[in-house]
Amino acid sequence: MFKVWIQEEKVSSGFLRDTGHHLAIDGYIKKVYNINAQKGEDQVDDNKEYLQEFLIQQNKYPLYFTIVGYEEYDELEEILKRGSLQYKLNLLEESRPYWTNGKNLKYHPPCFTVEVINEEALVYILKETYWLPTQNEFYAISTSENLYFNLEEVMEWGKKKKRSAPHFKSEENSTFITIFHDGYGFYLFSNEEKYSSIKKLCTNLPSNTDIRQINDDLVNGGWD
């Protein structure tokens, strides 16, 4: 049984900034929830497993995974090929530094858009790639191909830098997910009716969900 915490969020520039990666939304999103799950001692694995069960419960395919990796991406590409997954690979405009043989070099981050058509593929890709968002690389799941990147000048640690900012195009009846810092839970952004209230969201969670907190209110004994 998963102990689950749900926080309904208000979309604002501050909230989007806190989600990381300079996320932007083109259009209107009805609801956003932060969902965190705990079952045992390893909260990262718990949240990966809960996300998997949540997506299986929704039974909505295809899903589109957007995964940003590091300069050496051959291994990640081989994982996708081994799983017989259909994908597109693009190099983002942003330049990142890396060091090799004592030299400071730059690379354009590889961005994979992966089409997941069934439960088997879903289980496989989460198992093989969830380590990337635990290292705070950009990782998103959407019910449509509604994501693009735009090179923008942003502020980081008091300095102006150019970053490839992810933009989600809001669509009717669309849902997309991003991962919380270090892999501890996920954000659910949605215009679907079944997520239009906390009550409706709760009826669409996996059956082994034990909700312990909704916003600031403890339920079912809280976190004891």
Side-chain angles (χ1 to χ4, degrees):
M1 186 69 69
F2 288 93
K3 298 178 182 178
V4 172
W5 173 84
I6 301 170
Q7 177 72 38
E8 185 173 356
E9 306 284 1
K10 291 184 178 179
V11 178
S12 65
S13 57
F15 166 71
L16 292 176
R17 182 180 61 248
D18 290 344
T19 65
H21 304 285
H22 310 288
L23 177 69
I25 299 174
D26 298 350
Y28 177 71
I29 285 290
K30 293 179 182 177
K31 292 292 180 178
V32 183
Y33 304 101
N34 183 356
I35 300 174
N36 181 279
Q38 184 177 355
K39 184 173 68 172
E41 297 299 323
D42 191 329
Q43 289 192 49
V44 171
D45 279 347
D46 289 348
N47 277 287
K48 177 184 70 174
E49 184 180 346
Y50 190 75
L51 173 60
Q52 176 181 297
E53 294 197 16
F54 173 79
L55 292 171
I56 290 172
Q57 168 89 4
Q58 307 318 298
N59 193 33
K60 189 170 184 177
Y61 301 99
L63 293 171
Y64 297 92
F65 280 65
T66 301
I67 303 171
V68 175
Y70 296 106
E71 73 279 4
E72 295 182 0
Y73 57 85
D74 291 351
E75 183 178 351
L76 179 55
E77 191 166 27
E78 180 57 33
I79 287 171
L80 301 178
K81 290 179 178 178
R82 192 163 61 243
S84 299
L85 298 173
Q86 297 296 315
Y87 67 91
K88 300 174 186 176
L89 170 61
N90 293 296
L91 299 181
L92 301 180
E93 291 184 81
E94 172 185 335
S95 293
R96 292 184 186 177
Y98 74 102
W99 290 263
T100 182
N101 297 324
K103 295 181 179 180
N104 186 352
L105 304 175
K106 291 186 177 181
Y107 73 100
H108 296 287
C111 177
F112 292 87
T113 302
V114 188
E115 185 178 21
V116 171
I117 61 173
N118 55 33
E119 181 179 327
E120 180 182 3
L122 171 63
V123 171
Y124 177 83
I125 194 170
L126 284 174
K127 177 183 177 182
E128 298 293 340
T129 66
Y130 193 80
W131 63 273
L132 280 161
T134 69
Q135 297 185 12
N136 293 318
E137 288 298 317
F138 184 75
Y139 192 97
I141 306 162
S142 181
T143 56
S144 63
E145 290 187 275
N146 61 343
L147 172 65
Y148 69 96
F149 288 84
N150 191 44
L151 188 65
E152 299 173 3
E153 190 171 74
V154 301
M155 293 296 294
E156 287 187 357
W157 303 104
K159 295 182 179 180
K160 290 183 178 180
K161 296 184 178 181
K162 289 189 175 181
R163 292 287 183 257
S164 292
H167 284 245
F168 283 98
K169 294 180 288 185
S170 175
E171 299 173 347
E172 186 178 359
N173 295 323
S174 66
T175 293
F176 62 89
I177 288 170
T178 63
I179 308 302
F180 191 67
H181 300 294
D182 301 329
Y184 291 106
F186 61 92
Y187 291 106
L188 176 71
F189 300 75
S190 187
N191 284 333
E192 293 190 71
E193 178 62 27
K194 64 181 179 180
Y195 305 129
S196 61
S197 69
I198 289 277
K199 183 177 180 180
K200 290 182 178 180
L201 169 68
C202 291
T203 63
N204 284 284
L205 294 176
S207 59
N208 57 346
T209 298
D210 180 10
I211 298 172
R212 293 302 182 96
Q213 186 170 334
I214 297 176
N215 297 328
D216 295 327
D217 298 323
L218 298 177
V219 295
N220 294 337
W223 290 92
D224 294 336

